[in-house]
Amino acid sequence: MTQTLAFAYAGLAALPVLMHLANAAGAPLGRLTVGGRFPGRLPPAWRGLALVQAALLCVMAGAVLARAGLGALPLAPLFWPALALTILSLAANAASPSRPERLLWTPVLFLMAAAALGVGLS
């Protein structure tokens, strides 16, 4: 069950990773991130930050997988910070002024947090 939850977390994390990569490439998805501050394409500096966010999500998924005994075990100590960041992201997205961002990412992050909590408590 722990491994299934870890895979669920990683699969769900792939969704915002793909969105951040698309934003970094110039896709007009700004309304789905940073509170909808940029309704179209992100400015160049924010595109760079989207790459950082994508990388951070990949490390977080790696930490959850490592905690479940999968993937790169050196990432396992990052599990609890990854869970904390997931919960903080959930709160931030739930409070986002951007309705599309709230409606899309709040359920995804809720499921990610639930999966990570299941991994952590098993």
Side-chain angles (χ1 to χ4, degrees), residues 16-111:
V17 167
L18 291 172
M19 187 268 309
H20 285 301
L21 291 175
N23 272 324
L29 300 174
R31 71 187 187 285
L32 300 177
T33 188
V34 295
R37 182 179 305 178
F38 308 103
R41 293 180 180 180
L42 297 179
W46 287 89
R47 289 183 197 176
L49 290 173
L51 287 175
V52 171
Q53 182 65 21
L56 179 61
L57 281 161
C58 288
V59 170
M60 291 166 60
V64 173
L65 289 167
R67 172 76 181 208
L70 304 164
L73 293 180
L75 292 177
L78 298 177
F79 172 79
W80 292 108
L83 175 58
L85 275 174
T86 302
I87 293 169
L88 289 172
S89 296
L90 169 59
N93 279 277
S96 173
S98 167
R99 187 171 193 267
E101 182 178 19
R102 255 190 340 266
L103 292 176
L104 177 60
W105 298 123
T106 301
V108 171
L109 283 157
F110 177 81
L111 293 172

Side-chain angles (χ1 to χ4, degrees), residues 1-6 64 67-69 79-80 83 114-122:
M1 181 63 153
T2 302
Q3 292 180 343
T4 301
L5 290 170
V64 173
R67 172 76 181 208
F79 172 79
W80 292 108
L83 175 58
L117 194 58
V119 170
L121 297 177
S122 61

